[in-house]
Amino acid sequence: MQRLMKMNPRDTVAVALRPIEAGEEISFDALSIKAREAIPQGHKIALADMAAGSAVTKYGYPIGRAAADIAQGDWVHTHNVKTGLAGEETYEYHPDLHPVTYPKRNLTFDGYRRRNGKVGIRNDLYIVPTVGCVNGIAEQIIAEFKALHPDLGPFDNVTVLKHPYGCSQLGDDHRMTRSILLDAVGHPNAGGVLVFGLGCENNVVAEFRSLLGDIDESRVKFLVAQEVEDEAEAGVALLEELYEAAKHDRREPVPVSELNVGLKCGGSDGFSGITANPLLGAFSDFLISQGGSTVLTEVPEMFGAEKMLMARAANKDVFAQIVTLINDFKQYFLSHGEPVYENPSPGNKAGGISTLEDKSLGCTQKAGTAPVVDVLQYGEKLRKKGLSLLQAPGNDLVASSALAAADCQLVLFTTGRGTPFGSFVPTVKVATNNELFARKGHWMDFNAGPLLEKPMEEVLEEFIAYVIAVASGQKTRNEQNEVRELAIFKTGVTL
């Protein structure tokens, strides 16, 4: 294996593909470089001298500025490079579109067609609490139902979408909670839903039901605990009705153009922008070429790379929406007295990421090269085929839940540190390196580490086949481990 990787000809740093010892001589890129100190795997080495205050370049763009003089062969990290980001900026529309497209292929997956025309990749049974007070009883209802149907019958998974909200919330927080729960009830992966309330919460069940609009009443049931004598018995009875309604559901071949895929990363490392994120970018371009859709979120992890996304706006209107998306989220930070660059995390830094620009330029590679066709606000569902951006924070649980709520049937989640997390839709964990995949195989679903030695085309074909298998029913690690979570964004006060 080569020892260093340079991401762009303009770069002033390269990434160590294995640990480098102090004093080690490396021939690279027509240079002879002597490591002036030990450099961990995934971290950066200086390819040239850089004066204090000068730009440090990776991926062809600045990832910050030298905080001190840096000599060729130095370890480049948080001790000698600092972010160049500040507050809000003004932007101009300069389109720069170079989409990579793939030939159309008649690929299908086995999915569930719903009455409203949507397609699910799971036939899941959800209990959606309108308020966190009933989470425990919902778990009890699920336990009693599973005792009656240990094989779950027509359902792939049975999940309580637990959350702590639905009461004592005001304004945007109340609207966001209600919006995400409404999205979950209408998710195409849901073969049956029990909406379960207490009876005295802000998120009134009758109002919630009216906001759902036209629903299949055989697939969505409602229960208010304070209005029945035995809420557990009543809940199990309603799940039995959903079981009967779903028992004849069958998968059928569906074109891959019906796939909506969320793009997310968490616990990133120095390999994220080299292996796993570019793999997701290639898959995004492939799926969009087939007529499908992908969604990129984590707005704070666009900071420093936002101009690249703005240059890919399909038109001036989309450009303006991206500008608003970025500056509104910066204002969210500033309104709380927090810097917009309070990132990367300690785990990111340990993995080799030094600044938010470093993280963002690697993060946005998940979106490939396709034009940005739409910008979604938090809680909104997909409207257009192609690549959309979604308003949500970088937090793994909140962002993945927002992707699921937007009607993504699955989330692709890259990580260099590893996580057991899974959203309430199948969450494919993609390892950035071989060591993580070997060590945490019970968490991880796919290994992008071989990209250091194998061509993208080869690994992409393997990944396409894997995603189609998951869409056709193969369970992800989070499903196998019974880890399915919902997390809702909160910005305001709690009563």
Side-chain angles (χ1 to χ4, degrees):
M1 180 189 295
Q2 60 182 349
R3 287 184 279 182
L4 300 176
M5 178 171 286
K6 186 176 178 181
M7 307 306 298
N8 186 283
R10 299 192 298 270
D11 290 355
T12 57
V13 297
V15 177
L17 300 183
R18 64 163 179 76
I20 296 173
E21 297 179 2
E24 187 174 340
E25 294 274 358
I26 304 169
S27 296
F28 176 75
D29 201 28
L31 298 171
S32 180
I33 302 170
K34 183 176 182 178
R36 289 163 51 89
E37 54 197 311
I39 299 172
Q41 177 176 286
H43 287 240
K44 296 174 289 294
I45 186 172
L47 299 176
D49 295 344
M50 289 173 270
S54 63
V56 178
T57 305
K58 182 183 176 187
Y59 303 109
Y61 292 88
I63 61 166
R65 298 201 169 271
D69 289 343
I70 297 173
Q72 183 189 67
D74 277 350
W75 176 30
V76 178
H77 198 37
T78 53
H79 60 289
N80 57 9
V81 60
K82 301 299 179 185
T83 182
L85 296 177
E88 294 186 27
E89 294 186 39
T90 56
Y91 303 95
E92 295 182 357
Y93 183 40
H94 297 294
D96 187 21
L97 289 164
H98 306 281
V100 174
T101 59
Y102 291 80
K104 284 270 191 179
R105 293 159 59 178
N106 295 320
L107 296 177
T108 63
F109 66 95
D110 293 334
Y112 295 95
R113 287 199 177 273
R114 305 303 183 191
R115 192 187 75 167
N116 60 6
K118 294 183 180 181
V119 175
I121 69 168
R122 292 292 182 270
N123 213 35
D124 282 353
L125 176 60
Y126 298 156
I127 294 185
V128 178
T130 57
V131 64
C133 306
V134 298
N135 286 345
I137 299 299
E139 292 279 19
Q140 180 184 336
I141 292 170
I142 288 291
E144 292 185 20
F145 176 78
K146 283 184 174 180
L148 295 170
H149 305 284
D151 66 351
L152 303 185
F155 298 116
D156 293 304
N157 303 292
V158 180
T159 307
V160 178
L161 301 187
K162 294 184 291 186
H163 62 90
Y165 302 130
C167 203
S168 302
Q169 288 187 296
L170 301 169
D172 286 344
D173 282 354
H174 178 63
R175 285 189 290 272
M176 288 190 294
T177 293
R178 192 169 58 188
S179 184
I180 293 297
L181 298 180
L182 288 166
D183 290 341
V185 174
H187 198 280
N189 283 4
V193 180
L194 173 61
V195 177
F196 184 28
L198 177 59
C200 54
E201 64 269 26
N202 294 57
N203 194 18
V204 180
V205 171
E207 293 179 5
F208 185 88
R209 181 173 185 166
S210 69
L211 291 169
L212 284 168
D214 181 31
I215 58 172
D216 183 345
E217 295 186 357
S218 70
R219 299 303 181 109
V220 183
K221 303 294 181 179
F222 299 86
L223 175 64
V224 178
Q226 291 173 350
E227 296 178 359
V228 296
E229 182 174 348
D230 188 329
E231 64 280 354
E233 180 181 339
V236 172
L238 289 171
L239 294 192
E240 289 292 335
E241 292 182 24
L242 294 169
Y243 183 98
E244 286 298 312
K247 69 180 182 181
H248 297 299
D249 291 349
R250 297 291 183 271
R251 291 182 180 271
E252 61 181 271
V254 178
V256 294
S257 58
E258 295 287 351
L259 283 178
N260 305 323
V261 176
L263 307 171
K264 176 74 179 80
C265 58
S268 300
D269 70 351
F271 289 123
S272 294
I274 297 173
T275 59
N277 288 353
L279 175 62
L280 262 60
F283 178 81
S284 177
D285 286 342
F286 170 80
L287 183 60
I288 290 169
S289 296
Q290 310 309 306
S293 301
T294 60
V295 185
L296 180 70
T297 188
E298 303 178 277
V299 177
E301 293 173 25
M302 299 175 190
F303 297 165
E306 69 269 35
K307 291 180 182 178
M308 297 169 59
L309 293 171
M310 291 173 184
R312 289 166 50 191
N315 52 54
K316 283 188 176 181
D317 181 56
V318 174
F319 164 76
Q321 292 178 52
I322 300 174
V323 171
T324 300
L325 177 76
I326 296 297
N327 280 337
D328 279 1
F329 226 101
K330 286 185 177 181
Q331 188 55 45
Y332 163 67
F333 278 78
L334 295 170
S335 68
H336 287 275
E338 300 293 343
V340 300
Y341 49 82
E342 192 57 42
N343 215 330
S345 69
N348 296 152
K349 294 173 184 177
I353 296 174
S354 306
T355 64
L356 181 51
E357 298 99 307
D358 192 359
K359 187 175 184 179
S360 295
L361 287 164
C363 174
T364 52
Q365 290 190 63
K366 299 193 303 292
T369 63
V372 179
V373 298
D374 201 9
V375 177
L376 306 174
Q377 295 301 303
Y378 182 79
E380 288 187 329
K381 286 186 176 289
L382 269 168
R383 295 182 288 251
K384 296 181 180 180
K385 293 286 189 178
L387 172 65
S388 296
L389 306 184
L390 169 65
Q391 182 195 54
N395 178 273
D396 293 348
L397 281 71
V398 175
S400 295
S401 296
L403 288 168
D407 269 1
C408 293
Q409 301 114 324
L410 73 158
V411 173
L412 304 180
F413 189 109
T414 69
T415 178
R417 307 288 293 175
T419 177
F421 164 74
S423 181
F424 64 93
V425 300
T427 306
V428 175
K429 260 73 71 62
V430 183
T432 69
N433 61 82
N434 298 329
E435 186 275 334
L436 171 63
F437 190 75
R439 183 169 54 86
K440 286 294 186 181
H442 58 294
W443 288 355
M444 309 308 299
D445 296 281
F446 192 89
N447 184 19
L451 277 169
L452 295 176
E453 300 173 355
K454 296 167 67 172
M456 173 63 77
E457 294 77 11
E458 185 176 336
V459 179
L460 176 60
E461 282 300 316
E462 295 172 5
F463 192 58
I464 292 168
Y466 180 78
V467 171
I468 289 175
V470 168
S472 298
Q474 180 175 315
K475 288 200 171 186
T476 56
R477 291 297 188 189
N478 77 288
E479 292 179 287
Q480 295 170 22
N481 296 334
E482 295 284 344
V483 177
R484 294 183 295 278
E485 305 284 354
L486 171 70
I488 301 172
F489 197 34
K490 181 184 184 303
T491 62
V493 299
T494 299
L495 293 175

